[in-house]
Every structure is written in C-alpha cells, then in structure tokens.
Amino acid sequence: ALDVSAETFPFQASGTFDVDPPVGGSCDPAPTNAVWFSYTAPADGDYHFALVNHTGTPAYSRLAIFAGVGCGPLGPELACGTGNAPSISRDVTLVQGQSYLVLFHTDGEAYTMVDPEISVTEVLPGGPGAECASAYDASAEVFPFTLAGLFDRDPAVGGTCDTTPNNAVWLSYTAPADGEYRFDLVNHSGTNAYSVLAVFAGTACSPLGPQLACTTAPAKTISTTVTLVAGQSYLVLFHTDGDNYSMVDPELTVSNVVITPGARCSLPYDVSAELFPFQLPGTFDDDSGPGGSCDAVPNNIVWFSFTPIVAGPYTISVANHSGTLAYSRLAVFTGLGCAPHGPEVACAVASAANVSTVALLAAGQPYLIAFYTDGEPYTMVDPEITITP
C-alpha cells in the first residue's frame, strides 16, 4: 500500500493498476484493477476520502476503508461505497495515530485504473442539517421551506434503497397529529442529480430508527407518503445517489394527506352496492405492499372491497384511464386485512391499461381488490371496475 500520510493532496499515483485481489469490501467482494493506499490520522475526527480514476474510458468505482494495515485478513471495515462514475468519496471517523488501508478499484475487469488520485481532508463540524446529529428541525417552519447551503457529506449509513448516500442533508419533523403525511423534497442544484429520500422513526443516529420509507427518483425532486403519530419526531434523509452530483439549498414541504376511499388499503372503496361498470374519480399513487403473487412490488394502487350476495365464480375487470401507457396488475384477497393480506384468490397481469380475472367468491365474505401498475412512472387515473357473476 502507498502511504500518503505525508503527501500534499490531491496526490496522484502514476501508472496503470490491474491486480485483482482475492478479497475486497462488503459492497464488492470481487475487486478488479485495485490500487491500495494507507493513511495515518493526525488527529481524532471525521475525514473525507475522495478518489478519482483518470482512465480515458468509462469506469464504475468502488471504495473501501479498513482499520489497520493488515492484509491477511483485512482489518475491520469502516466504509464501503459504490459509484457509477470514475470518482467516489466517503466520510469516516478516524483515531489519531491509527493507520488505515484504502482500497480503490473498479467493478469489472473491462474497466481500467489509471493514475489514481486521492485526497484526504478533515471534515469540520457542519451547520444544521449537515449531519444526522445536527438534523435541522423543520417542524415549525412554513412550507415550502428551504435550508440554504451546499451539503456534501457522505454518511456511512442510509436507507435500504441506497446504503451509500452522497451529499446528504438531514431534517427532522414532529407530527402535530396522527395521520398520513407527504414529504416533498427539491434539490436546487444547478446541475443534474438523482435523488434518494428516506424517513426514519425517531431521531436516533447510531443506529437509525425503524425505516418508514425509502425511495429513489431520477430527478432533483422526490416525494413519499408515510403514516405518522402525533408528537413523534422523525428523521428525513435527503441525498443524491452519486458523489459527482451536488446538493444545493434543499427544499422541504410536509403536507397532511386527506385519505379518500380507495386511496389506501385501510380504507378501500366498497363497490358491493354499485352499478357496474363503476368508475372512481381521482389519481391514485399508493405504493404500499405487499402486492399479489404476480407482482410483489406494487405501484399506484387503488383499493376496492366487494362482498357478494351469491356464491360462485365472478369475472372482475378493471381499467385504468391514465392518458399514458400503463401495465396493469389485479389481485384479489379474502378478507380486508392489510398487513398481511388474507389468502389470495387471484392475481393477474396485463401489458395494457386494463386487466381481468375470474375468482371463486363465497356469499357474505368481504374481499379486498387491489388494482395497480407495475412501475412508478405509470399513473392510475379514474379507475373503472366491473364485477359480474
């Protein structure tokens, strides 16, 4: 390993590195084209490690940092991150006088590692929102609220949908009443950026509290809806999915969501007494699972309930009046249970905006009907349902 403790940063190693070590970090145990650095911390504190691969061709990056300089085996892992660019960075807490190994590599043999560059800088305590421990409390703010600043910290942990966050801002919010709340976040970066949003119960940081939501978006805007409890505080983590993006003047809007029948599993629209075909006006965006066995990850669900008077086979047909293409999913469950659902009676898929299935139903038994799309980009608008013996 090349000891860079006394170097002036950024420091660039010359050459092409093409060795494939037998072990790597937890985020990629099969490293290719690896370069090894070592660094001894001059003081206790948080440090920012930034690595750049100067290859002339595209290359995805991997970065792992280990305590000590032992190789067989490697010391305890402090961080492991992935990136879809030739550059990558991570923040870690170091101890004065302790030496650390830095493993920088590509994620495939076809990529090359050329003249790798490393920078190590001590991270000074940030302002409100820069770290989990100093999450900005936006509970009393008027929305939309903008937290001014450039946020470039890379926390060691994040939500399950992106465990290697970059350019994170931390916010907290205390719910004034029980109910469903929508969190809308905007990154005012002047360049392109993909977004990640996670919400956690409580304000604990090590470890984070139970995760309520985690979602991604290929844009600078993102939103999610979660159920909150009055007086309970929650952590909101908003970040980009790559260090080459930036987080500038993040904007937060929190709004109470009024639940209409059909919008949630807990409040399905009862069509038992309706004349068919029946159309329920509105746009539906619930993504709460599970879905049926034919698609376990539902998007944009509308929920119906139906209790037949006569037992027998029924044809259940649904149509999505979205103005754009939408693939359809239809699942029928016995009873009105949501977490979990009751036994599944039927599940059908279609590469169209309408789908149907036949289900054997019992007289007097309520059934839960979930109609949804197979992807978030699709929309569910003014859904129509027809049930016939």
Side-chain angles (χ1 to χ4, degrees):
L2 181 59
D3 187 358
V4 296
S5 306
E7 299 293 345
T8 300
F9 298 113
F11 171 78
Q12 191 169 346
S14 298
T16 298
F17 295 79
D18 59 5
V19 175
D20 304 337
V23 293
S26 60
C27 60
D28 191 336
T32 54
N33 307 312
V35 58
W36 297 85
F37 298 101
S38 68
Y39 180 75
T40 302
D44 292 351
D46 293 332
Y47 288 79
H48 184 75
F49 287 78
L51 285 295
V52 180
N53 178 4
H54 287 280
T55 180
T57 59
Y60 284 14
S61 299
R62 302 291 185 261
L63 171 62
I65 302 173
F66 306 92
V69 291
C71 296
L74 295 165
E77 180 181 281
L78 302 184
C80 192
T82 65
N84 57 349
S87 59
I88 191 170
S89 67
R90 279 294 171 273
D91 291 350
V92 293
T93 301
L94 305 185
V95 176
Q96 181 180 13
Q98 171 72 53
S99 296
Y100 300 86
L101 271 180
V102 180
L103 169 60
F104 179 37
H105 64 92
T106 67
D107 80 332
E109 189 60 55
Y111 299 128
T112 57
M113 175 66 70
V114 182
D115 300 339
E117 175 187 304
I118 183 171
S119 294
V120 185
T121 54
E122 187 173 6
V123 179
L124 299 177
E131 302 173 49
C132 179
S134 59
Y136 185 91
D137 187 357
S139 306
E141 299 292 348
V142 176
F143 300 113
F145 166 73
T146 299
L147 184 60
L150 171 66
F151 297 82
D152 59 4
R153 301 291 180 86
D154 303 332
V157 294
T160 56
C161 59
D162 189 338
T163 57
T164 54
N166 299 103
N167 308 310
V169 58
W170 297 85
L171 304 154
S172 68
Y173 181 76
T174 302
D178 292 353
E180 297 218 3
Y181 290 78
R182 179 183 171 103
F183 290 81
D184 289 278
L185 281 297
V186 181
N187 178 4
H188 288 283
S189 172
T191 60
N192 184 40
Y194 283 17
S195 300
V196 183
L197 171 61
V199 181
F200 305 92
T203 55
C205 296
S206 298
L208 294 165
Q211 178 181 287
L212 303 184
C214 191
T215 186
T216 64
K220 292 183 287 187
T221 59
I222 193 169
S223 65
T224 191
T225 300
V226 293
T227 302
L228 306 185
V229 177
Q232 171 71 52
S233 296
Y234 300 85
L235 269 181
V236 180
L237 170 59
F238 179 35
H239 63 91
T240 67
D241 80 334
D243 205 43
N244 49 319
Y245 299 130
S246 60
M247 175 66 71
V248 182
D249 299 339
E251 176 187 304
L252 168 70
T253 299
V254 184
S255 53
N256 191 219
V257 179
V258 177
I259 305 302
T260 58
R264 295 292 182 272
C265 177
S266 58
L267 191 63
Y269 190 98
D270 189 357
V271 295
S272 303
E274 299 291 346
L275 295 177
F276 298 113
F278 171 76
Q279 191 168 3
L280 184 61
T283 298
F284 299 84
D285 60 4
D286 183 24
D287 298 335
S288 59
S293 61
C294 57
D295 191 338
V297 186
N299 297 101
N300 308 311
I301 315 176
V302 58
W303 302 88
F304 297 106
S305 66
F306 177 70
T307 304
I309 297 175
V310 178
Y314 285 77
T315 298
I316 302 173
S317 302
V318 286
N320 179 4
H321 289 278
S322 171
T324 59
L325 174 68
Y327 286 13
S328 300
R329 305 290 186 261
L330 173 62
V332 183
F333 304 96
T334 303
L336 303 180
C338 294
H341 297 312
E344 182 180 276
V345 179
C347 194
V349 304
S351 54
N354 56 284
V355 63
S356 65
T357 189
V358 175
L360 184 62
L361 307 183
Q365 169 68 56
Y367 293 88
L368 186 66
I369 301 169
F371 176 33
Y372 54 97
T373 68
D374 80 331
E376 189 60 51
Y378 301 129
T379 56
M380 175 66 70
V381 182
D382 300 339
E384 177 183 303
I385 184 169
T386 300
I387 304 177
T388 56

